[in-house]
Amino acid sequence: MEIDKLKRVIRRNHLMDGSRRENDAEHSWYVGMLAMILGEHAPPGTDLQRVVAMLLVHDLVEIDAGDAFIYDPVEVAAQPEREKAAADRIFALLPEEQGCELRALWEEFEERATPEARFAKALDRFAPILANHHTEGGSWPLFKVSVGQVREKVKIIEEGSASLGAYATELIELSAARGHLSE
Amino acid sequence: MEIDKLKRVIRRNHLMDGSRRENDAEHSWYVGMLAMILGEHAPPGTDLQRVVAMLLVHDLVEIDAGDAFIYDPVEVAAQPEREKAAADRIFALLPEEQGCELRALWEEFEERATPEARFAKALDRFAPILANHHTEGGSWPLFKVSVGQVREKVKIIEEGSASLGAYATELIELSAARGHLSE
């Protein structure tokens, strides 16, 4: 019952048809599917099933903490403390052993110390770029995001997957050329 | 880009707070999470990661076929043919080997010949019962669903998980006693 609330946490980016903003639950499904479909772009030996599990749980803390807009430095700075408090409450709803397991998956995702976590984070960053690229910039012009700001975010994609990072760069430069990202 | 459309396929049941109807993408995430959280209710030896993968892809065909209301016999009868045509188109968008893999997961889910598929289907059936129970009957009174019709659906839950089947029965009888299911 608790996790149903994730369907009501709204993100900044839009669906591919631009009809409305995306929620965290459908986003989590989408990036889980990306892990299954784009698995060949992960480093060899990456445990993709672990990546899927990580992506399904990665936003649960936003039930309490909300979605921090990645290009808002004030929101981003306040987020780790809010998310830690959320994790303390939400994962404790489960039996102890199970709560620890799911929390460990979330912490692994946040720390990006494993290939699985780096690939999961890369997909999480890649998805809104793909959506914005295909919706005339989507949330980028709306929030006056510059091409430099988005280029900065590509580093995290490159660290998880070189080929996905290269493709994200391509999409960003195309979007900039079309005027969907400010200089 | 194609799978983004699943976020716009609307199901009959509502979110736990009753605020709106659920879409297929967030439903797919939800049942994938249920597989992770309720895994101990699967028969011993069930490959839960396979169950998760199956649940993430199980509704993709509804991008074309739409969601058939489980208590509408006309919709349900027309659905297999619509879904087969959808599978032919959608899985063929992927490279052949990958398309076959994902399609096999969907077919396994539909056929319910493995413990993984039976548990996945049980969770898919269990989720709307849980949601309806917690939203004063949700889509049940809205579509005049009877307690006998819902009891019928519990068999599929029992076949995937005895304990989950017993719990679903409890919720249904409670809902009936509260007048949220017609006799």
Side-chain angles (χ1 to χ4, degrees), chain A residues 76-176:
Chain A
V76 167
Q79 197 66 355
E81 198 173 332
R82 294 166 61 90
E83 291 195 348
K84 200 201 153 290
D88 289 345
R89 183 188 74 81
I90 295 164
F91 293 116
L93 295 172
L94 288 167
E96 196 179 345
E97 194 189 345
Q98 197 174 32
C100 286
E101 266 175 46
L102 290 204
R103 185 176 185 142
L105 272 176
W106 169 67
E107 285 174 346
E108 184 178 343
F109 175 82
E110 288 299 326
E111 286 162 10
R112 294 198 308 122
T114 62
E116 283 76 17
R118 283 191 293 272
F119 187 58
K121 197 81 168 187
L123 294 172
D124 187 41
R125 290 289 170 91
F126 175 69
I129 291 175
L130 188 67
N132 282 341
H133 176 74
H134 287 289
T135 50
E136 301 187 326
S139 54
W140 289 330
L142 215 57
F143 298 100
K144 299 192 172 47
V145 177
S146 75
V147 65
Q149 284 178 293
V150 185
R151 279 191 197 122
E152 189 67 31
K153 302 300 174 197
V154 169
K155 286 176 193 160
I156 277 190
I157 303 180
E158 280 165 354
E159 285 168 22
S161 164
S163 51
L164 217 56
Y167 183 53
T169 299
E170 234 178 84
L171 296 182
I172 291 163
E173 300 310 323
L174 259 169
S175 287

